[in-house]
Amino acid sequence: MSTIMYKFKSGTSFESISMPGSTARLFDVKRAIVKANKLDRSTGGGMQLEFDISVKNAMTDEEYTDENMILPRGTRIIVQRLPAARGQGLLARIARADAGMHSGVAMTYGNVAAAENGFYTIQSTREDDDEF
């Protein structure tokens, strides 16, 4: 288990998040922070406001922008909530990830050209005249 230490920019003390393995992906750390602080729940039954989370290294003040970045265990980070456009915030990206959809990362499977045209052409590689 790896432990990532975080605090909000306005906070005074660090809190810990336990993550499986010896490293953690930045997106997974953000998701754990949202769930630990119950930021994914709307208040008063209304619609949840979209936001993003800015993450900086507490020691070097380096901002982490790539959500696929790997953070080693023991990393101390400072997080800050930022406004985001509807459907573009962290909650929308978490929902897409939970649903198995990719979140902005270009994924290519199979024949991309055929998929863009909406059809596939199947050709035999053998020169058989056998019929089924």
Side-chain angles (χ1 to χ4, degrees):
M1 295 288 281
S2 65
T3 300
I4 305 291
M5 303 295 290
Y6 77 96
K7 76 173 189 125
F8 283 93
K9 188 174 181 180
S10 60
T12 57
S13 62
F14 283 90
E15 298 178 40
S16 65
I17 293 179
S18 295
M19 305 291 289
S22 61
T23 60
R25 200 170 56 132
L26 180 60
F27 180 76
D28 296 327
V29 171
K30 286 182 176 183
R31 182 189 319 199
I33 290 170
V34 165
K35 295 205 186 284
N37 291 283
K38 299 179 181 161
L39 300 175
D40 56 344
R41 298 192 178 117
S42 64
T43 57
M47 198 167 154
Q48 177 67 38
L49 295 176
E50 282 292 340
F51 62 90
D52 205 349
I53 293 182
S54 167
V55 178
K56 289 185 178 182
N57 186 308
M59 302 299 168
T60 65
D61 208 33
E62 173 190 2
E63 184 170 3
Y64 299 141
T65 56
D66 181 12
E67 290 188 335
N68 290 319
M69 178 179 190
I70 302 296
L71 300 177
R73 89 176 115 199
T75 302
R76 289 178 171 249
I77 57 175
I78 298 174
V79 298
Q80 178 182 9
R81 278 180 58 168
L82 302 171
R86 183 179 303 228
Q88 302 300 317
L90 182 60
L91 295 178
R93 291 194 306 272
I94 289 172
R96 285 193 296 267
D98 290 344
M101 305 164 112
H102 64 54
S103 58
V105 179
M107 297 179 152
T108 56
Y109 298 104
N111 188 339
V112 176
E116 288 173 353
N117 292 329
F119 65 89
Y120 286 90
T121 303
I122 300 173
Q123 298 176 348
S124 175
T125 57
R126 297 185 296 175
E127 299 204 11
D128 280 335
D129 288 335
D130 296 340
E131 292 185 21
F132 296 105

